[in-house]
Amino acid sequence: MGQLVKLQDYISRYELDIYRYPPRFIKLKREQWQKLKHAWETEQWPIYEEELEEMNLSFEKSSPKFIQKLKMVFNKQNEINSIIKEDDYIPTSDEGINIFQKQIERPQNLEELKNLFLQEIFETQMIWASSTITEKSYIDSSYYREEKIKLFLQRFPDTFLLFYRPVFLINRALFESEIILLSPTDLYCISFLEAEDDTVFVGSDERFWEKRGSNETSKIVNPLISLTRTENVIRKLLQAHNIDFPIQKILISRSGYIDYSLIPFGTTIVDKRTFRTWFETSRKMPSPLKHMQLKVAKTLLDYCHTVSVKRQEWSF
C-alpha cells in the first residue's frame, strides 16, 4: 500500500516525523496482516473488538490516563509538545490503526480477506492524514470514496508516498498542486483527464485542448499548464535546499485517448492504450525507502499549508 503523507491542507501525522512514520507504518501493517491472516487460517472467528486489541496497529501501550496526567502537570501546549512521545500513547478508536470495531463475518477466501484488510487500512490512513494526537482537521467525507486515492494507496508499494493535491504556502500565497507521488527514485507530478469512455483529447501547445466525446466536442484548459506549474514549484523548493531529485510529469486518461504528437521533454502521456502497462511497471519497482526520498518529503511538508484545530481533550 502506498502511504498517504498529505491530503490537501489537512494535518498529517507524517508532518511530525517523516523519517519515523513511513518505516513504522510498513512494519506495523505487515505485523497486523500476519496476525489477521493467522486468525483466518486457524478459523479463530468470529473476531470481536476486544480480541483485536493485540492486533491493533497502535503505538506502545500506556495508561488511558496519560494525557490527563500531562494536563495536570503542564499548562502550556509547547511544554507538552516538548515532552510527549507518541510511543507512550494508545490512540483511541478514531486515531490509531484499529481495523475492526465490531464482529465481522469470516471472509470466504484469501482474496476477500485481503480486500477487507486493504479497505480497513485505507480508512486508517485517512485518519492518519487528518489528525495527530493533539490536533485534527475536519475531513471531507467524499475523500473516503475517492477512487484515485485508493488506486495509489491500495495498488502501489508501501514505499510510495502520496501527496494528494497538497496546498503549498509560498511567499504568503496558497498554491494547490496536482497529485504528487514520491517513489524511492523519482517524484511524479500526476494529473488525470476523466471523461466518458473513449473520449479523445486532442493536445496542442495552446491554452486550450479539444475534447471529443461521442455526442459533442468542447474545449478544456491545457492540463499540462497546471502540471508544469506544479513541477516548477517543487523544483524551486528542492533547489532552495540543494536537493537534486528526478521530477517527471505524467498525464493520465484511463478510459480515453490522448492525441498529442509534440510531447514536452520530461512528460509521459498515459491513456487507455498504455495505462495497464504503465501501471504494472510502476507498481513493481522493488526498492526500499531511501533517505533522499524522505528528505524530499520533509522539504515538501515544510511548505505545505495546514488547517486544523486542537482536540477538545487538549484545550485548556
Side-chain angles (χ1 to χ4, degrees):
M1 295 184 73
Q3 301 190 50
L4 185 55
V5 171
K6 187 69 174 178
L7 175 61
Q8 285 269 289
D9 58 0
Y10 302 137
I11 195 165
S12 166
R13 303 187 180 205
Y14 291 86
E15 296 177 59
L16 301 178
D17 191 344
I18 189 60
Y19 293 102
R20 176 170 175 261
Y21 269 91
R24 179 75 169 166
F25 178 85
I26 293 172
K27 178 179 181 291
L28 294 175
K29 193 203 77 173
R30 186 183 300 118
E31 290 175 353
Q32 173 127 337
W33 166 247
Q34 291 302 324
K35 291 177 181 179
L36 184 64
K37 184 170 177 282
H38 176 74
W40 180 79
E41 290 174 337
T42 56
E43 298 189 359
Q44 297 177 23
W45 225 271
I47 286 183
Y48 297 90
E49 181 177 354
E50 58 269 20
E51 293 177 304
L52 281 161
E53 277 189 28
E54 295 304 318
M55 296 168 59
N56 204 352
L57 289 192
S58 61
F59 300 106
E60 295 178 7
K61 294 184 178 181
S62 177
S63 168
K65 298 180 180 179
F66 175 69
I67 295 179
Q68 191 60 38
K69 289 180 180 179
L70 283 179
K71 289 172 132 186
M72 295 171 62
V73 176
F74 298 98
N75 57 16
K76 294 182 180 180
Q77 187 62 50
N78 62 342
E79 290 178 328
I80 292 178
N81 289 338
S82 68
I83 60 91
I84 186 170
K85 295 181 180 179
E86 292 186 20
D87 281 346
D88 297 324
Y89 173 67
I90 286 188
T92 57
S93 61
D94 70 328
E95 296 168 342
I97 301 185
N98 188 0
I99 68 173
F100 306 116
Q101 298 301 317
K102 59 181 181 300
Q103 176 183 338
I104 61 169
E105 182 179 349
R106 184 178 186 274
Q108 295 298 309
N109 51 55
L110 188 60
E111 191 62 30
E112 285 188 11
L113 184 69
K114 288 180 179 178
N115 291 335
L116 177 63
F117 180 77
L118 288 174
Q119 177 58 33
E120 298 299 333
I121 294 297
F122 166 75
E123 293 182 4
T124 294
Q125 286 189 292
M126 298 298 284
I127 294 172
W128 276 34
S130 60
S131 66
T132 64
I133 292 176
T134 59
E135 297 179 69
K136 65 179 180 179
S137 300
Y138 292 102
I139 188 171
D140 188 327
S141 61
S142 65
Y143 285 117
Y144 283 88
R145 302 184 297 274
E146 179 57 68
E147 191 271 336
K148 290 191 288 295
I149 297 180
K150 289 187 176 182
L151 173 71
F152 291 115
L153 297 189
Q154 296 184 342
R155 304 296 298 279
F156 278 76
D158 294 340
T159 55
F160 280 59
L161 309 179
L162 178 65
F163 292 70
Y164 194 80
R165 303 189 65 84
V167 178
F168 292 100
L169 178 60
I170 303 173
N171 296 328
R172 299 184 180 180
L174 296 179
F175 167 68
E176 181 178 324
S177 81
E178 296 292 343
I179 298 169
I180 299 170
L181 186 64
L182 184 56
S183 82
T185 59
D186 295 87
L187 184 150
Y188 304 99
C189 303
I190 301 175
S191 182
F192 285 83
L193 284 176
E194 305 281 57
E196 62 181 13
D197 289 352
D198 298 327
T199 295
V200 177
F201 299 93
V202 182
S204 70
D205 294 332
E206 304 299 324
R207 179 170 176 76
F208 294 98
W209 282 17
E210 194 173 84
K211 173 185 172 184
R212 299 175 182 174
S214 58
N215 298 318
E216 63 177 3
T217 298
S218 58
K219 291 185 180 296
I220 62 169
V221 176
N222 184 342
L224 295 182
I225 295 175
S226 181
L227 264 181
T228 300
R229 186 179 300 121
T230 296
E231 177 199 23
N232 290 339
V233 167
I234 293 173
R235 193 177 299 281
K236 289 179 180 178
L237 293 179
L238 298 185
Q239 288 176 348
H241 293 269
N242 298 314
I243 297 175
D244 184 17
F245 200 79
I247 302 175
Q248 300 184 42
K249 301 189 295 291
I250 302 177
L251 181 61
I252 300 175
S253 178
R254 291 174 290 177
S255 60
Y257 303 93
I258 301 176
D259 182 8
Y260 188 26
S261 57
L262 301 175
I263 302 175
F265 176 77
T267 301
T268 300
I269 300 294
V270 180
D271 63 10
K272 189 174 182 178
R273 295 165 291 194
T274 57
F275 177 76
R276 181 54 55 184
T277 300
W278 170 83
F279 177 70
E280 293 298 337
T281 301
S282 299
R283 65 193 293 263
K284 290 181 179 179
M285 294 176 58
S287 182
L289 288 166
K290 294 188 175 181
H291 177 77
M292 183 57 71
Q293 174 193 16
L294 298 178
K295 185 176 181 180
V296 170
K298 183 181 187 308
T299 300
L300 298 183
L301 286 172
D302 286 344
Y303 287 91
C304 282
H305 180 58
T306 295
V307 177
S308 63
V309 297
K310 290 191 185 302
R311 292 180 177 274
Q312 184 176 0
E313 58 267 31
W314 288 89
S315 298
F316 295 93

